[in-house]
Amino acid sequence: MNMKKRFLLAIAMAGTAVVFSQSRKEDSIYVRENYTKVEKLIPMRDGKKLFTAIYIPKDQKQKYPVLLNRTPYTVAPYGEDQYKMSLGNFPAEMREGFIFVYQDVRGKWMSEGEFEDVRPALKPGQKGIDESTDTYDTLEWLSKNLKNYNQKAGVYGISYPGFYSTTTLVNSHPTLKAVSPQAPVTNWYLGDDFHHKGAMFLNDAFMFMTVFGVPRPEPITPDKGPKRFVPPVKDMYNFFLESGSNKELKDKYMGTNIKFFNDMYAHPDYDQFWKDRNILPHLTQVKPAVMVVGGFFDAEDAYGTFETYKAIEKQNPKANNILVAGPWFHGGWVRGDGRQFGDIKFDHPTSIDYQQNLELPFFNYYLKGKGQFKGGEANIFITGSNQWKTFDTWPPKNTETKQLYFQPNGKLSFDKVQRTDSWDEYVSDPNKPVPHQDGVQTSRTREYMIDDQRFASKRPDVMVYQTDALQEDITLTGPVINHLFVSTTGTDADYVVKVIDVYPETEADFNGKTMAGYQMLVRGEIMRGKYRNGFDKPEAFQPGFVTKVNYEMPDIAHTFKKGHRIMIQVQNSWFPLADRNPQKFMNIYEATSADFQKATHRIFHDVNNPTSVEVSVLKEK
């Protein structure tokens, strides 16, 4: 980037910061001038009391609905004279006028009781408490004790609060009329946050739980809470590599102090511990209107967004349930204007579009009876072509299923391979793992989900396959399914497949970034190979034998433009995003550094072993 561009960019960023600061100040003043804050300890059915902050509109000429947000991340600031800087998901929601209710979930911060991560839902007929009963009891108390309440409640939340939003749909309270789980934590083994397809997401799990998982002996405020762990080595790749195996890392920095880490290590397979924490089977008899929201480039909970929507659809055919998915990072639909992410621009203020046209009208309509809600069944922003589209179903029905076949010499084609004896061979060394992102990273950035992959395509342990330049636009929607035919000299292996949009050499620079030949990550996902036949029944690979590994990746909605290429990369590590596989069949949580070994891998692409990636091509009307 030349000096002039740097100067202009610096001025633009400074101007944006000033505007943002002024806006925050105005929001803070608005909260104090228009809302009265009260704090209550609301009793649950087992006698425990949950700390709840309630912001009530000062204008008492009308009745208002409740918007409830239950969180493990604190409802701070505490004290009835201490106010949040803003209310709701965005300022327009605050100015619309709701009774905003924030609650510390059971066992967190100033609430009583014992906290349990992704607390299992009660089974039918089972007595006790769960997150659904706590929400029910909260809404019951609000119904009986709030003045100027119109007896209609909505619940919303992003990430972990998204999980608590989802749980409200189980045996919901009669006043609950609208729920919006946003990037909801859904399954911490199969695809959200800490595990993907059986592989631990090392960086996120460790950095999150070293703070969040610290025991709380009694109710506390954030100033007395645990502090963020600061690694002794700034480069996260080097920190985790030098820390050794999962066991060695835990022994050195955690010990047995973090309960959930102990549980993860004790349950390496998808056993009953994890199945009990899957909320999806409980989403039956859903009564409130539901709007599930998420981002295609969400580094934490893209899985939860799509699987929550699909489970409600499947188990409640008549439910009022819609999906919104855009080009966003985790929570990006309410953070910034959504015009770009990383190096990629979208030509629309996608976040503002969502706030004005979907979330605010959704809650206004179902909680206030105000206006009309015109959201479609599936409201999808398609990247590449950069346009909003609505569909009658998700995934869309008007698609054609096709296979992108791996070919010799790094080719990729919709045509079946004709060779009878063809493969690519390479060596994977877990002591020199493929990084998930280029350069020195002091934290796991959210941009890795969309970043340039040229750094990886240059490595000898990353296999690259790409099409010729496309002769027309191709739009892919819905899940992507990998059909790999592989062999290894080891007895276990991870497989990472990445779908990439390769820009033409004629692409203009953007914000000083060279976009000619850019390799935009559209979707990537890992699979721990020993779980290829079931996540609850690990199986060793037989060295040297061709083995089929099938797995599904989270949904996409992307147009590969004419002149671009579709690329697939395959590798066996994605570090330190995911933990390393020693390439030896064993309990990886018990591995030591001595267990990690090199292995020679083959990816086959012949008529008998046709490795392919299955995609759904949208038929343009």
Side-chain angles (χ1 to χ4, degrees):
M1 188 184 297
N2 62 37
M3 290 297 292
K4 182 178 180 181
K5 287 183 177 179
R6 289 179 186 274
F7 178 70
L8 292 174
L9 180 60
I11 291 177
M13 291 177 66
T16 300
V18 170
V19 171
F20 177 76
S21 177
Q22 181 63 28
S23 176
R24 291 278 289 176
K25 183 178 180 180
E26 291 174 358
D27 291 344
S28 177
I29 293 172
Y30 186 91
V31 175
R32 286 185 172 275
E33 290 182 346
N34 292 275
Y35 286 88
T36 299
K37 181 186 179 185
V38 295
E39 295 179 339
K40 298 292 182 181
L41 284 170
I42 296 181
M44 301 294 105
R45 63 190 62 186
D46 65 346
K48 300 299 181 183
K49 296 178 180 178
L50 305 190
F51 188 94
T52 309
I54 306 170
Y55 292 80
I56 303 169
K58 290 182 178 179
D59 182 358
Q60 295 289 292
K61 296 176 183 177
Q62 59 178 305
K63 293 185 176 182
Y64 299 91
V66 157
L67 270 183
L68 171 63
N69 180 275
R70 303 186 68 242
T71 179
Y73 299 136
T74 174
V75 304
Y78 295 92
E80 291 187 341
D81 61 341
Q82 301 297 311
Y83 282 65
K84 285 182 174 292
M85 297 289 289
S86 186
L87 301 175
N89 262 345
F90 45 88
E93 205 164 62
M94 171 181 68
R95 285 171 165 77
E96 176 60 33
F98 294 90
I99 300 172
F100 290 97
V101 180
Y102 297 89
Q103 185 175 77
D104 286 335
V105 297
R106 179 183 292 259
K108 277 293 182 180
W109 304 105
M110 292 299 289
S111 283
E112 298 175 354
E114 182 178 347
F115 177 75
E116 184 170 359
D117 272 299
V118 284
R119 188 187 304 275
L122 295 172
K123 296 178 175 61
Q126 183 181 1
K127 301 294 183 181
I129 60 93
D130 61 11
E131 303 304 339
S132 176
T133 66
D134 281 355
T135 307
Y136 190 103
D137 294 347
T138 298
L139 291 176
E140 181 71 8
W141 187 94
L142 294 172
S143 177
K144 293 178 178 179
N145 291 276
L146 282 183
K147 296 180 180 179
N148 287 85
Y149 174 29
N150 73 356
Q151 298 298 317
K152 291 184 179 181
V155 177
Y156 71 100
I158 299 171
S159 193
Y160 219 146
F163 164 75
Y164 295 111
S165 300
T166 302
T167 64
T168 68
L169 297 170
V170 182
N171 300 318
S172 58
H173 191 272
T175 62
L176 185 60
K177 304 301 180 183
V179 178
S180 185
Q182 302 179 8
V185 168
T186 301
N187 191 311
W188 267 358
Y189 189 89
L190 296 182
D192 286 320
D193 291 300
F194 302 149
H195 290 86
H196 284 224
K197 309 294 184 186
M200 181 171 72
F201 261 36
L202 176 65
N203 195 324
D204 283 27
F206 179 82
M207 294 303 294
F208 181 82
M209 279 297 170
T210 49
V211 179
F212 186 84
V214 173
R216 184 209 70 167
E218 59 185 7
I220 56 172
T221 51
D223 58 303
K224 299 177 182 177
K227 306 304 178 185
R228 179 179 177 272
F229 174 80
V230 180
V233 178
K234 288 190 175 182
D235 184 338
M236 298 304 286
Y237 182 96
N238 287 339
F239 166 69
F240 284 109
L241 194 60
E242 292 170 6
S243 296
S245 67
N246 293 342
K247 180 181 184 301
E248 291 160 348
L249 174 74
K250 181 176 181 292
D251 289 347
K252 185 173 184 179
Y253 293 107
M254 282 186 171
T256 59
N257 191 42
I258 309 296
K259 180 182 182 300
F260 195 78
F261 242 70
N262 297 338
D263 291 336
M264 283 203 305
Y265 278 53
H267 301 277
D269 308 326
Y270 193 56
D271 59 14
Q272 201 59 45
F273 173 84
W274 295 108
K275 293 174 183 178
D276 286 345
R277 283 158 177 76
N278 179 10
I279 188 64
L280 298 183
H282 300 273
L283 300 180
T284 60
Q285 301 181 33
V286 171
K287 296 177 182 178
V290 183
M291 182 171 68
V292 184
V293 182
F296 285 107
F297 305 118
D298 185 336
E300 285 94 328
D301 300 304
Y303 173 93
T305 296
F306 296 107
E307 295 307 311
T308 297
Y309 167 77
K310 292 173 185 177
I312 295 173
E313 284 293 293
K314 181 179 180 180
Q315 295 161 192
N316 307 266
K318 296 182 180 180
N320 184 357
N321 172 50
I322 70 170
L323 172 69
V324 182
W328 302 308
F329 57 86
H330 194 57
W333 47 97
V334 295
R335 298 164 187 163
D337 62 15
R339 290 181 183 274
Q340 73 176 79
F341 179 37
D343 300 322
I344 309 301
K345 59 182 178 180
F346 305 125
D347 302 328
H348 292 267
T350 61
S351 302
I352 305 301
D353 291 344
Y354 162 75
Q355 294 165 24
Q356 293 180 348
N357 301 324
L358 290 163
E359 181 167 317
L360 189 56
F362 174 77
F363 284 126
N364 270 343
Y365 181 75
Y366 289 107
L367 301 184
K368 292 185 172 184
K370 179 179 177 180
Q372 294 182 322
F373 181 63
K374 298 180 180 180
E377 175 66 23
N379 308 271
I380 307 297
F381 188 87
I382 299 178
T383 51
S385 58
N386 291 344
Q387 57 183 324
W388 282 103
K389 284 199 172 186
T390 58
F391 298 96
D392 294 334
T393 62
W394 186 263
K397 290 182 178 178
N398 57 321
T399 60
E400 180 182 359
T401 300
K402 289 189 174 184
Q403 304 291 334
L404 279 164
Y405 291 99
F406 291 20
Q407 309 277 348
N409 303 313
K411 297 292 186 179
L412 186 69
S413 172
F414 288 114
D415 298 325
K416 287 186 177 180
V417 64
Q418 300 301 317
R419 295 274 294 268
T420 58
D421 190 17
S422 181
W423 67 80
D424 290 307
E425 183 176 282
Y426 60 100
V427 174
S428 174
D429 183 355
N431 290 310
K432 297 179 181 178
V434 180
H436 70 273
Q437 202 165 12
D438 195 17
V440 174
Q441 303 297 333
T442 57
S443 63
R444 193 273 293 146
T445 74
R446 60 196 184 195
E447 287 82 9
Y448 92 86
M449 291 287 291
I450 202 170
D451 260 356
D452 190 354
Q453 298 299 302
R454 281 178 283 197
F455 75 96
S457 63
K458 298 172 184 176
R459 287 183 58 118
D461 51 357
V462 176
M463 296 296 99
V464 179
Y465 305 88
Q466 65 177 330
T467 65
D468 293 333
L470 299 176
Q471 299 303 304
E472 60 182 6
D473 292 358
I474 295 178
T475 299
L476 306 183
T477 57
V480 177
I481 303 173
N482 302 316
H483 304 286
L484 307 179
F485 289 88
V486 297
S487 70
T488 176
T489 56
T491 52
D492 191 14
D494 289 347
Y495 293 92
V496 179
V497 175
K498 296 184 287 188
V499 179
I500 295 163
D501 184 345
V502 182
Y503 285 40
E505 289 298 323
T506 55
E507 190 75 19
D509 292 356
F510 176 60
N511 279 353
K513 177 76 174 185
T514 300
M515 300 301 291
Y518 193 92
Q519 296 178 7
M520 170 192 168
L521 181 61
V522 175
R523 176 64 72 223
E525 186 61 291
I526 192 169
M527 172 72 184
R528 184 135 288 166
K530 66 182 178 182
Y531 296 119
R532 63 195 179 278
N533 294 319
F535 291 101
D536 55 354
K537 50 180 181 181
E539 295 181 29
F541 284 78
Q542 190 171 352
F545 280 74
V546 179
T547 304
K548 190 172 185 179
V549 178
N550 293 342
Y551 70 99
E552 184 176 297
M553 303 201 288
D555 299 40
I556 63 174
H558 183 77
T559 298
F560 295 80
K561 302 289 286 183
K562 178 181 178 181
H564 290 225
R565 299 171 187 261
I566 302 174
M567 175 185 284
I568 305 293
Q569 292 182 4
V570 182
Q571 58 203 54
N572 300 98
S573 53
W574 213 14
F575 188 77
L577 184 67
D579 65 337
R580 294 176 297 150
N581 191 321
Q583 305 191 124
K584 179 189 297 185
F585 183 72
M586 64 182 304
N587 181 348
I588 294 177
Y589 290 118
E590 295 178 355
T592 67
S593 293
D595 290 309
F596 291 84
Q597 61 185 19
K598 294 181 182 179
T600 299
H601 298 269
R602 285 183 176 181
I603 299 175
F604 292 83
H605 34 70
D606 57 49
V607 292
N608 296 315
N609 305 294
T611 292
S612 67
V613 173
E614 182 179 315
V615 295
S616 297
V617 179
L618 187 66
K619 297 177 182 178
E620 297 295 341
K621 295 180 180 179

